[in-house]
Amino acid sequence: MRSFRKIVISLVILLAFVFGLNSVSRYMYESVRNNIVFAREELEENKGTIDTLLLGTSLVHWGLDPEVIDEELGVKSFNLATSAQPLSGSYYLLKDQVKSNPIKTVFLGVSVPGMVNDYDKDTPVKLGVFDRISSPAVKAEYMAAVAEFKEYEQFLFFPTRVVNVLDTKAVKRNVAYKKSEEFKEKISPDYAPYIYYGMGFESKEEVYDGSFNDEKLGNDAIWNRDRIVDVNVEYIKKTAQFCNDNGIELNLVIFPHSYEFARLQGDLSDMDKYMEELSAEIGAELYNYNFTVRQDIYDIMTNDCYQDKKHFNKKGAGRFAELLCSDYKETSLK
């Protein structure tokens, strides 16, 4: 019995040490250029009040303003999208938030790259999801489902993610900013690439100049049914089933891109048909803004709404949120 007690005490001490090390190292090394610090704080501050989740890749993260959605729909939404978010990640983020919030509605962004690529193979992408999961049980489940054994160290120990632990300039800058009033007010530093606007949403003001090298457009951005990754479809269906089991309304959203880019993405009419069939099968509402369906989309989402060939800027994120909410309210009346 004494031996068992010693083992338990030793494990508790070890865990306390690990958590302490993570906390200190995050404070020192987690870059203030990354607004995840603010997103995690707001998730905790608003626990028990969030009823609408915005999930998906950077198209959602930078392109759907939750403040506008709240005003238009009378809800309290949080943008939990991340860069190249795997559909598995969207599923586990939803599963996590249901534990602490009365989630009623989900808007899940789906895209060509999100369907034909396996983002679960990218460690930084998975870590972006992992860092937004609050529940230890869901963290463990997500890690077991998507992480390879060799990645466990990075998932569990933040210090192992630090490329240069001797970068004292970065540490001084991080610590100095985290002690500032601006940090307490959740104001992004001047050198951060994106401005944080609250409830998980960050964006840019800059306007797309209309140029890009189409020779670099690879297969990962072109629609092809034969290249759809099965696990992506599996997790869309799992998300739909989870929503159905928990009385949550699931809405799939296909974002528009600039016309110069979208016209090179292959047969989007076939994507339209495929997603219509899939949404009908899983009982989800589909809001499709491909130009092949919405011929007026570029009259609404004009060139000055984009920060680059794919993503909205702050103006576009607000305008698109208004458009989506208008269509959502119209659908709800039917």
Side-chain angles (χ1 to χ4, degrees):
M1 181 63 74
R2 285 184 179 178
S3 297
F4 178 74
R5 188 177 299 169
K6 285 182 179 180
I7 293 173
V8 171
I9 292 173
S10 297
L11 286 173
V12 170
I13 293 173
L14 178 61
L15 287 173
F17 173 77
V18 169
F19 288 140
L21 177 64
N22 270 288
S23 178
V24 172
S25 63
R26 276 181 182 276
Y27 188 78
M28 293 172 59
Y29 287 103
E30 190 164 42
S31 175
V32 292
R33 290 168 56 85
N34 186 348
N35 289 317
I36 185 179
V37 181
F38 300 142
R40 282 201 306 262
E41 283 190 358
E42 279 199 295
L43 271 176
E44 183 62 30
E45 291 167 358
N46 291 277
K47 183 185 292 185
T49 66
I50 300 165
D51 56 31
T52 302
L53 279 185
L54 316 178
L55 298 169
T57 64
S58 57
L59 297 175
V60 183
H61 185 51
W62 300 331
L64 203 50
D65 191 336
E67 183 178 9
V68 174
I69 289 178
D70 292 356
E71 292 175 357
E72 293 289 329
L73 301 182
V75 299
K76 191 162 188 177
S77 61
F78 202 103
N79 191 322
L80 264 182
T82 56
S83 180
Q85 185 174 106
L87 285 155
S88 61
S90 301
Y91 169 75
Y92 283 103
L93 284 168
L94 169 60
K95 199 169 186 179
D96 177 57
Q97 287 304 306
V98 164
K99 288 179 175 293
S100 54
N101 287 292
I103 306 299
K104 298 177 182 177
T105 307
V106 170
F107 291 97
L108 174 61
V110 289
S111 65
V112 173
M115 295 298 291
V116 303
N117 291 287
D118 187 357
Y119 289 142
D120 279 323
K121 292 182 178 179
D122 192 327
T123 301
V125 163
K126 289 183 283 189
L127 289 171
V129 172
F130 185 78
D131 282 343
R132 286 168 172 79
I133 297 176
S134 303
S135 164
V138 179
K139 276 183 177 288
E141 187 180 354
Y142 178 62
M143 190 169 67
V146 305
E148 297 180 37
F149 182 75
K150 63 183 180 181
E151 297 174 310
Y152 279 19
E153 185 182 15
Q154 284 188 287
F155 271 74
L156 293 172
F157 301 104
F158 183 80
T160 62
R161 304 185 202 175
V162 179
V163 176
N164 185 0
V165 295
L166 300 179
D167 189 351
T168 55
K169 289 185 179 180
V171 170
K172 287 179 180 178
R173 184 176 68 178
N174 287 336
V175 172
Y177 178 70
K178 288 176 181 179
K179 288 182 177 178
S180 70
E181 288 299 316
E182 288 82 2
F183 179 74
K184 294 177 183 178
E185 295 296 323
K186 297 181 175 60
I187 300 172
S188 305
D190 293 340
Y191 47 83
Y194 292 89
I195 300 170
Y196 188 71
Y197 290 98
M199 297 300 277
F201 172 62
E202 59 181 342
S203 194
K204 287 183 177 180
E205 302 282 352
E206 66 187 57
V207 177
Y208 175 48
D209 64 7
S211 63
F212 74 96
N213 185 354
D214 59 8
E215 293 179 0
K216 293 184 177 181
L217 186 67
N219 287 332
D220 61 346
I222 297 176
W223 175 259
N224 184 334
R225 284 202 192 202
D226 295 334
R227 294 191 67 244
I228 293 174
V229 178
D230 291 341
V231 72
N232 294 330
V233 180
E234 174 191 340
Y235 271 103
I236 289 179
K237 291 181 177 180
K238 287 183 71 170
T239 300
Q241 186 61 55
F242 183 83
C243 287
N244 184 59
D245 293 343
N246 290 273
I248 299 170
E249 179 185 69
L250 176 62
N251 303 282
L252 304 182
V253 184
I254 299 177
F255 282 61
H257 301 314
S258 69
Y259 179 69
E260 292 79 6
F261 180 73
R263 66 185 177 84
L264 299 175
Q265 285 196 285
D267 187 0
L268 292 184
S269 294
D270 184 62
M271 179 188 185
D272 301 335
K273 183 178 179 180
Y274 178 87
M275 294 308 301
E276 285 171 8
E277 293 170 351
L278 179 60
S279 59
E281 177 186 345
I282 64 177
E285 196 68 45
L286 176 65
Y287 295 90
N288 186 351
Y289 296 95
N290 278 334
F291 72 92
T292 46
V293 170
R294 288 291 299 262
Q295 286 78 20
D296 64 339
I297 193 62
Y298 295 117
D299 295 326
I300 303 170
M301 305 306 301
T302 48
N303 289 338
D304 59 344
C305 290
Y306 295 84
Q307 61 171 284
D308 58 35
K309 62 183 181 293
K310 294 191 293 184
H311 304 95
F312 296 136
N313 54 25
K314 177 63 166 62
K315 176 180 178 178
R319 183 175 293 181
F320 185 69
E322 290 176 349
L323 174 62
L324 177 60
C325 288
S326 175
D327 291 342
Y328 174 80
K329 286 187 283 189
E330 185 175 322
T331 301
S332 299
L333 293 174
K334 292 180 180 179

